[in-house]
Amino acid sequence: TQLLEQSPQFLSIQEGENLTVYCNSSSVFSSLQWYRQEPGEGPVLLVTVVTGGEVKKLKRLTFQFGDARKDSSLHITAAQPGDTGLYLCAGAQSGGSNYKLTFGKGTLLTVNP
Amino acid sequence: GAVVSQHPSRVICKSGTSVKIECRSLDFQATTMFWYRQFPKQSLMLMATSNEGSKATYEQGVEKDKFLINHASLTLSTLTVTSAHPEDSSFYICSVRDSQETQYFGPGTRLLVL
């Protein structure tokens, strides 16, 4: 059972369009991270959200953490070819020495010029 | 954030040989490091948690005798793929966790077993 549902799995859009990627879970996370990964490289951290309802902006990227800390979204405005890559959400759960980071399946984004 | 390096970035080996991959935390003392495996266009799959000075914790289905992990210092963890076979070919990535639960990843190691 996938604990963190990420959608869509694949997305191909034209330059200039907007898009939203969703991550949903029935579990509560203490924090949630978004990463972007290019082929042949490791994931690069984009943002960490911690507080329910939190919104963070990174240039054309807007990240939101749900009020109940069970879901998150990534919105990209006016996508550019350089935004192409695999976007991963990952939810952290910790309790004492028990720490776990659960990844979504990823969204493979292609922005066509 | 933490800076993590991996060596080698790519390795090709013959079936039956062993391959060692190094993961270094360059600016952060990591008592815990993580090893992941990733197949093309898929998400990361946690293989094991590497604990400095103690045994690694392996995820279900990961053979600890095949994937040997050593975390001898606060800045270095190694993953040795023993008696590698073509099905072990994959992208292996390590990470460190900071005090705020955020993980920082290395650049990955592409393993090809012929």
Side-chain angles (χ1 to χ4, degrees):
Chain A
T1 300
Q2 181 68 31
L3 187 60
L4 192 53
E5 297 285 346
Q6 185 172 346
S7 62
Q9 193 171 352
F10 300 96
L11 190 56
S12 180
I13 60 172
Q14 293 301 121
E15 182 176 1
E17 293 183 1
N18 302 331
L19 67 114
T20 303
V21 179
Y22 300 93
C23 275
N24 297 292
S25 176
S26 58
S27 299
V28 176
F29 297 108
S30 51
S31 67
L32 193 138
Q33 289 117 52
W34 284 91
Y35 297 86
R36 178 169 168 268
Q37 184 181 23
E38 298 196 36
E41 300 180 9
V44 175
L45 179 70
L46 295 174
V47 76
T48 299
V49 286
V50 179
T51 306
E54 183 177 5
V55 177
K56 281 191 174 179
K57 291 192 175 184
L58 186 64
K59 295 184 180 179
R60 293 177 293 99
L61 279 60
T62 301
F63 305 86
Q64 186 166 10
F65 202 14
D67 291 341
R69 292 185 294 149
K70 294 181 178 181
D71 55 88
S72 181
S73 64
L74 157 61
H75 182 79
I76 301 180
T77 303
Q80 299 177 1
D83 296 327
T84 294
L86 179 66
Y87 289 82
L88 297 160
C89 63
Q93 294 171 307
S94 61
S97 60
N98 295 323
Y99 162 86
K100 183 176 181 180
L101 190 68
T102 301
F103 279 87
K105 287 190 175 182
T107 296
L108 189 60
L109 172 65
T110 303
V111 183
N112 302 297
Chain B
V3 179
V4 181
S5 70
Q6 282 183 240
H7 178 80
S9 57
R10 291 187 178 189
V11 57
I12 302 173
C13 70
K14 293 182 178 180
S15 184
T17 62
S18 294
V19 175
K20 180 185 284 188
I21 303 170
E22 293 185 349
C23 176
R24 292 183 184 275
S25 177
L26 300 182
D27 60 351
F28 182 79
Q29 291 191 324
T31 56
T32 304
M33 292 185 178
F34 303 89
W35 286 96
Y36 293 84
R37 184 174 181 176
Q38 186 179 33
F39 292 103
K41 297 183 180 180
Q42 293 188 22
S43 188
L44 279 67
M45 182 187 75
L46 180 65
M47 298 176 65
T49 301
S50 173
N51 304 301
E52 189 266 335
S54 64
K55 292 183 179 180
T57 305
Y58 290 82
E59 295 298 300
Q60 191 173 8
V62 178
E63 299 177 57
K64 61 180 181 180
D65 293 331
K66 180 165 187 63
F67 298 100
L68 300 179
I69 291 173
N70 182 277
H71 193 156
S73 76
L74 291 172
T75 59
L76 174 64
S77 175
T78 60
L79 169 67
T80 301
V81 183
T82 62
S83 186
H85 290 286
E87 57 265 31
D88 298 324
S89 299
S90 192
F91 194 51
Y92 293 88
I93 312 173
C94 68
S95 71
V96 302
R97 173 178 68 126
D98 68 8
S99 59
Q100 297 184 339
E101 303 182 334
T102 298
Q103 286 193 21
Y104 298 89
F105 290 86
T109 296
R110 173 75 60 193
L111 171 63
L112 177 61
V113 184
L114 302 177

